[in-house]
Amino acid sequence: GDAERPLLLHGRCHLERRGRPAARHDDLDRLPFLRERPGVRQVQEAALQLGLPSAAAVLAPEAQSTYDEAVHLGALAAKNDWHALLLVTDRFHTRRALRTFQALTPDAAIALSAPDDPRHAPDRWWTTEVGLVAVVTELLKLGFYWERYGIPPL
């Protein structure tokens, strides 16, 4: 089950979903992989407050993109013999994140968790600037990943 999966906190994910963690507390003893970028330290601190052991947080300062994270996580998965991962990211990013991690960690089963983002509702994304920018940006990045890395969006 999910409790056996290393936990990957991706990008600017929100750990709280309507007053409860996006990932269960028993998931938080697994090894998360965090990209070093603005906001990641806050995500790491929130995970620590939810019970993540401090030694379990791994930052990846060299990762500049979802693709980079998947490359580095693929190496960690192979080194640690991980066969299942739990990817926590925002709702707009799930398709590209899942397709990228599937392509670069083909031996691992990947589950997704996409907690609610308090800045906008996914069923009304076009009504806010944040939602509109998120959708348009992801559509462009899906095309870029297909062209650049050969990772199809479907």
Side-chain angles (χ1 to χ4, degrees), residues 63-115:
Q64 298 299 311
S65 68
T66 300
Y67 185 88
D68 291 345
E69 288 174 333
V71 168
H72 294 292
L73 185 67
L76 277 176
K79 177 181 174 184
N80 292 290
D81 199 33
W82 296 337
H83 298 285
L85 304 169
L86 175 59
L87 173 63
V88 180
T89 190
D90 65 74
R91 290 180 186 268
F92 294 117
H93 187 242
T94 55
R95 179 183 307 260
R96 183 168 52 91
L98 179 62
R99 298 294 296 136
T100 302
F101 281 90
Q102 286 174 330
L104 296 171
T105 56
D107 296 330
I110 300 171
L112 286 172
S113 177

Side-chain angles (χ1 to χ4, degrees), residues 115-152:
D116 294 335
D117 187 330
R119 298 172 300 168
H120 53 77
D123 60 341
R124 294 185 312 278
W125 58 266
W126 62 90
T127 63
T128 67
E129 183 178 357
V130 170
L132 186 60
V133 169
V135 168
V136 171
T137 300
E138 277 304 314
L139 288 173
L140 292 171
K141 289 180 179 182
L142 281 168
F144 176 78
Y145 272 54
W146 193 1
E147 173 63 29
R148 176 77 180 255
Y149 305 119
I151 300 171

